[in-house]
Every structure is written in structure tokens, then in C-alpha cells.
Amino acid sequence: MTKFTEKATAITPNREIQPDEYFNETDHLIYCSKCNTPRQCRHELQGKVLIPSIRCKCQQEIFEQEEAQRKLHEKQMEIEHLKTSGLQDKALYDYTFARDNGINPEIKLAHNYVSNWEEMKSNASGLLIWGDVGTGKSFFAGCIANALLEKGIPVLMTNFSRILNTLTGMHFEDRNQFINSLNRYSLL
Ligand SMILES: [Zn+2]
């Protein structure tokens, strides 16, 4: 400590001070004039004093905001990608809980399936939806697919005839590859 005090009188900033900074005479570090927190820190390594630059509080806040923006954007891109791959029919994009008209109270089962997804997945529980044509089975399934895709979960919404059509005319190895490709979806 004595050594430090002796040296302290001669200490000057180790880099040029920017217009929005000042040199703090107490700890001999460069500070931000806006938030009054240091833009440098002091380390001692093998007898040498290192004064690397760090982010002051306001720079850190901006950095975190930008990071959050970047992550959000990445997540949105990922969800877009999952949707493109999982919703092979553009009309399915509109099958969402937000568009539910509330006519069929059974929609709560679809809601439950989504809210308990982790449990459903670990128990390998599917959902069997049956009913007459036009009763909204596809809508229910679409709502589940969209809600899970929004959470970043890989879902494929397809139908039996589409799968059969894809398989027809495929070589044996391609068929295996196609069937295996279905495994990368958490929900089919
Ligand atoms: Zn600052």
C-alpha cells in the first residue's frame, strides 16, 4: 500500500481522456462524466499494475440493451425458421389461440396441452383430437403448433396423405432419411 501512495503523486491517465470523461484524482482512474462510474479498473499482475478499460454504468446499460435486442432478433429468426419448416401450409399461420372465436369450449384442452408441454413431452403424451369434418380439429392442432413454435419448440404439422405422397416415388434410402428427419421435431 505504501508503494502505491508513493507512486500516486506521479500518476497520470494512461490514455487520452475523451470529452465525456474525467480523471479521478482519488483513485487515478478515468470516469464517465455522465454516470460518474469508472471506465477503467486496476489489476495487479506479477508486480505490474494493469489498467484495462471497462464499461461505465451507462455504457453497460446500452450494451445490455443491445445484447437483449440481438438475442430477441436471433430468437425471432429461429422461430421464423421453425415455422417455415413446421407449417407447410401458409393457412396454418392463422390457426392461433388469438383467433379462436370461443365457440368450442374444448379449446381449453389445447391450451392445457401447451401450458403443460414439458410434462407432455417427458411423458411422450400426444393429443388425439377427433370429431366430424369442420368441427375445428385442424384449428386446434394449428393453435397448439403455433403456440409451441412461438416458444421455439420444433413442431411439424403435416398430414398422412402429405407424408405418403412424399414417400411415394422415393428411393429406399431417401425414405429412411425422410422418416428420420421427422424425428428432429419435438411434436408431430
Ligand atoms: Zn457512463
Short mmCIF file of all heavy atoms in Angstrom, two decimals, residues 32 34-35 37 39 56-59, ligand 1:
data_model
loop_
_atom_site.label_atom_id
_atom_site.label_comp_id
_atom_site.label_asym_id
_atom_site.label_seq_id
_atom_site.Cartn_x
_atom_site.Cartn_y
_atom_site.Cartn_z
N CYS A 32 -16.60 8.27 -16.27
CA CYS A 32 -17.59 8.80 -17.20
C CYS A 32 -18.24 10.03 -16.56
O CYS A 32 -18.65 9.98 -15.39
CB CYS A 32 -18.63 7.73 -17.48
SG CYS A 32 -20.11 8.35 -18.29
N LYS A 34 -21.04 11.31 -17.37
CA LYS A 34 -22.50 11.18 -17.32
C LYS A 34 -22.96 10.42 -16.08
O LYS A 34 -23.83 10.86 -15.35
CB LYS A 34 -23.01 10.48 -18.58
CG LYS A 34 -23.28 11.44 -19.73
CD LYS A 34 -23.86 10.70 -20.94
CE LYS A 34 -22.75 10.16 -21.81
NZ LYS A 34 -23.21 9.29 -22.90
N CYS A 35 -22.36 9.24 -15.85
CA CYS A 35 -22.85 8.39 -14.76
C CYS A 35 -21.90 8.35 -13.57
O CYS A 35 -22.20 7.72 -12.55
CB CYS A 35 -23.13 6.98 -15.28
SG CYS A 35 -21.66 6.12 -15.80
N THR A 37 -19.22 6.75 -13.01
CA THR A 37 -18.64 5.45 -12.63
C THR A 37 -17.40 5.23 -13.51
O THR A 37 -17.30 5.81 -14.59
CB THR A 37 -19.64 4.28 -12.80
OG1 THR A 37 -19.99 4.18 -14.17
CG2 THR A 37 -20.90 4.49 -11.95
N ARG A 39 -14.40 4.06 -16.00
CA ARG A 39 -14.26 3.38 -17.29
C ARG A 39 -12.94 2.61 -17.34
O ARG A 39 -12.49 2.19 -18.40
CB ARG A 39 -14.33 4.40 -18.43
CG ARG A 39 -15.76 4.83 -18.71
CD ARG A 39 -15.86 5.66 -19.95
NE ARG A 39 -17.24 6.03 -20.20
CZ ARG A 39 -17.60 6.95 -21.09
NH1 ARG A 39 -16.68 7.56 -21.81
NH2 ARG A 39 -18.86 7.23 -21.27
N CYS A 56 -18.49 1.81 -18.29
CA CYS A 56 -19.10 2.50 -17.17
C CYS A 56 -20.56 2.06 -17.10
O CYS A 56 -21.02 1.31 -17.95
CB CYS A 56 -19.01 4.01 -17.36
SG CYS A 56 -19.97 4.60 -18.75
N LYS A 57 -21.28 2.54 -16.11
CA LYS A 57 -22.66 2.10 -15.90
C LYS A 57 -23.54 2.36 -17.13
O LYS A 57 -24.27 1.48 -17.57
CB LYS A 57 -23.24 2.82 -14.67
CG LYS A 57 -24.48 2.19 -14.14
CD LYS A 57 -24.83 2.79 -12.77
CE LYS A 57 -26.26 2.50 -12.39
NZ LYS A 57 -27.13 3.68 -12.49
N CYS A 58 -23.43 3.57 -17.70
CA CYS A 58 -24.32 3.86 -18.83
C CYS A 58 -23.91 3.07 -20.08
O CYS A 58 -24.76 2.64 -20.85
CB CYS A 58 -24.50 5.36 -19.08
SG CYS A 58 -23.02 6.31 -19.42
N GLN A 59 -22.61 2.86 -20.27
CA GLN A 59 -22.18 2.04 -21.40
C GLN A 59 -22.66 0.60 -21.23
O GLN A 59 -23.06 -0.05 -22.18
CB GLN A 59 -20.64 2.05 -21.51
CG GLN A 59 -20.09 3.33 -22.08
CD GLN A 59 -18.57 3.35 -22.09
OE1 GLN A 59 -17.93 2.68 -21.27
NE2 GLN A 59 -18.01 4.13 -22.99
ZN ZN B 1 -21.32 6.39 -18.07
#
